[in-house]
Amino acid sequence: MPRKNPIFPGPRTARGAVLAVLLSGADQAGAEPLRGRVTLAAIVRALKRKYHWPIDTTSFPSNAADGRATWATVYSLPQDVIDAALDAKGRDWLKSTNP
């Protein structure tokens, strides 16, 4: 199956905000649920499936603030994907995320 080109979501959406962080080269490690209904994991899933972004997911054991054992997940984009996206229309798209 041929690989589909990534699509940029709306710049002022939750998906756009998460993608902007990933395109900056930073890892996205957490975000508050948006309006109590959307989690970071759901946003990343949409970016992977609907928008075709090859987001890397790394999970590891961690401790919650109250001392309980839990899992932490970090999301990132490979550097070659970031470079290709920025060389396409990514720079202009990033500018539109911050009015």
Side-chain angles (χ1 to χ4, degrees), residues 1-55:
M1 174 182 249
R3 185 174 148 182
K4 296 181 180 180
N5 289 329
I7 300 167
F8 289 90
R12 295 192 181 128
T13 63
R15 293 171 183 163
V18 170
L19 182 60
V21 170
L22 295 173
L23 286 175
S24 74
D27 293 337
Q28 179 72 59
E32 292 296 319
L34 302 170
R35 296 186 195 143
R37 298 184 183 191
V38 181
T39 64
L40 178 58
I43 293 169
V44 168
R45 182 177 180 178
L47 287 171
K48 285 180 162 185
R49 293 184 177 188
K50 183 176 180 181
Y51 296 90
H52 316 295
W53 288 94
I55 299 170

Side-chain angles (χ1 to χ4, degrees), residues 54-93:
I55 299 170
D56 292 331
T57 303
T58 306
S59 295
F60 52 90
S62 183
N63 292 320
D66 63 4
R68 290 178 296 132
T70 187
W71 285 89
T73 303
V74 176
Y75 304 100
S76 60
L77 283 172
Q79 190 60 48
D80 62 322
V81 172
I82 295 170
D83 294 340
L86 293 178
D87 287 343
K89 63 178 183 176
R91 285 184 181 82
D92 291 335
W93 181 86

